[in-house]
Amino acid sequence: MLFNNNIHLDSISSTNNFLLSLRKNNIFSEGLYVTTDFQENGKGQMNNSWESEKKNNLLISILIEPKISINNIFDINRFVCLSIFDLLKLYDINALIKWPNDIIINNRKIAGILIENIFSNNIISHSVIGIGLNINQAKFLQYSPPATSMFLELINNFHTHQIKQQLLDIIEVRYKKLKIGYSDLNEYNNNLYLLEKSFRFMSNNKQFYGRIKTTLDNGTLVIYDESNGVEREFLNSELKYIF
């Protein structure tokens, strides 16, 4: 069992920040993970915040040492997204992956991922994988897209510890596949949110309607721009979904 070294905190500003603060400590090695009942300053992609009621959800940061080329950085995003996808499937929840790394159910967000990498000579030496998964929370503030939870989807309370262990087991399986060169690109692309559906996006402060076609191996998103009749490629910071 790879993930067998846990630090649990009642409350912390951010599990990712706490884990990264241990970089000069001997404990900072693959298999360490940090959990908390409450994050005072939970963060998501592009400086967004992450809301979570105390003890109602899974807030976890996991440390791995992938030792892969910086050119394969999006491999980490993919296997983590698909791990959460696999977990929800165990509970008959049909989820989709909103590029690059949110998990969506019925146009509502149930999980977000924030991955922070450490590099050495163009090699990813360490990755801190932060995951927020909504489990038992029943009410949320207004977001775009709206938030949901396993409770809201199935009207059932769950044991957070059990779900945490299931997720860690699934992540370990997919991580081992990554280490031996397995490509999950097709899996990721086949389960993309809004795949081949017309939707409104924004890039460079200009809105347009387009259809998601695929992602490339490096994580670039390919969208068919319906206004101009051409395919366009985007990196994460270059595109916004307009809900």
Side-chain angles (χ1 to χ4, degrees):
M1 188 175 180
L2 177 60
F3 303 110
N4 56 13
N5 192 6
N6 177 219
I7 298 174
H8 181 77
L9 303 157
D10 289 337
S11 178
I12 191 71
S13 64
S14 158
T15 53
N16 266 30
N17 286 351
F18 179 82
L19 189 43
L20 284 166
S21 75
L22 302 174
R23 279 178 65 171
K24 295 181 179 179
N25 193 304
N26 289 337
I27 199 173
F28 192 80
S29 63
E30 185 166 85
L32 174 65
Y33 66 97
V34 175
T35 51
T36 187
D37 294 331
F38 181 71
Q39 281 190 141
E40 299 159 7
N41 188 28
K43 57 182 181 176
Q45 282 287 331
M46 301 175 72
N47 296 318
N48 290 324
S49 61
W50 184 263
E51 175 197 354
S52 181
E53 290 179 353
K54 190 167 187 177
K55 294 188 176 182
N56 268 339
N57 304 309
L58 177 60
L59 303 168
I60 186 169
S61 292
I62 302 162
L63 180 61
I64 60 172
E65 299 178 22
K67 304 292 195 295
I68 59 175
S69 167
I70 192 172
N71 296 326
N72 302 119
I73 192 169
F74 203 75
D75 291 4
I76 300 169
N77 283 59
R78 282 201 304 270
F79 96 80
V80 176
C81 285
L82 286 165
S83 296
I84 300 173
F85 176 87
D86 291 346
L87 170 75
L88 294 171
K89 217 175 196 179
L90 290 177
Y91 292 88
D92 293 322
I93 296 176
N94 296 316
L96 292 169
I97 300 166
K98 175 178 168 284
W99 175 88
N101 50 11
D102 288 335
I103 308 300
I104 299 286
I105 301 167
N106 299 322
N107 299 312
R108 295 175 179 270
K109 181 174 172 179
I110 193 168
I113 300 157
L114 177 64
I115 299 171
E116 298 180 88
N117 299 296
I118 300 172
F119 306 100
S120 176
N121 298 322
N122 292 321
I123 296 296
I124 304 170
S125 62
H126 298 78
S127 295
V128 172
I129 301 165
I131 298 171
L133 173 63
N134 298 330
I135 299 178
N136 290 320
Q137 189 162 334
K139 292 182 179 180
F140 294 91
L141 300 175
Q142 300 248 331
Y143 296 101
S144 179
T148 190
S149 65
M150 294 178 68
F151 171 81
L152 289 174
E153 295 302 316
L154 298 177
I155 314 301
N156 189 21
N157 280 295
F158 298 90
H159 294 290
T160 305
H161 177 78
Q162 176 183 318
I163 289 171
K164 177 198 74 176
Q165 197 54 57
Q166 288 173 324
L167 179 59
L168 288 172
D169 291 344
I170 292 168
I171 285 175
E172 181 171 352
V173 169
R174 284 203 172 267
Y175 179 49
K176 286 179 177 177
K177 287 183 177 180
L178 168 73
K179 298 283 274 186
I180 61 172
Y182 170 77
S183 175
D184 53 16
L185 181 61
N186 287 337
E187 274 187 277
Y188 182 90
N189 282 330
N190 290 338
N191 293 291
L192 279 174
Y193 175 63
L194 298 175
L195 184 65
E196 291 289 2
K197 294 182 179 179
S198 182
F199 195 76
R200 188 164 48 133
F201 300 94
M202 178 181 285
S203 180
N204 292 325
N205 294 317
K206 293 181 180 178
Q207 294 188 19
F208 69 97
Y209 280 90
R211 298 196 307 272
I212 291 176
K213 304 296 291 184
T214 191
T215 63
L216 306 181
D217 200 46
N218 67 355
T220 299
L221 182 70
V222 180
I223 293 181
Y224 177 76
D225 185 332
E226 297 175 342
S227 304
N228 300 313
V230 295
E231 286 190 352
R232 300 170 62 186
E233 296 182 358
F234 298 92
L235 299 175
N236 183 21
S237 59
E238 299 173 342
L239 186 76
K240 183 178 180 181
Y241 295 70
I242 306 297
F243 287 90

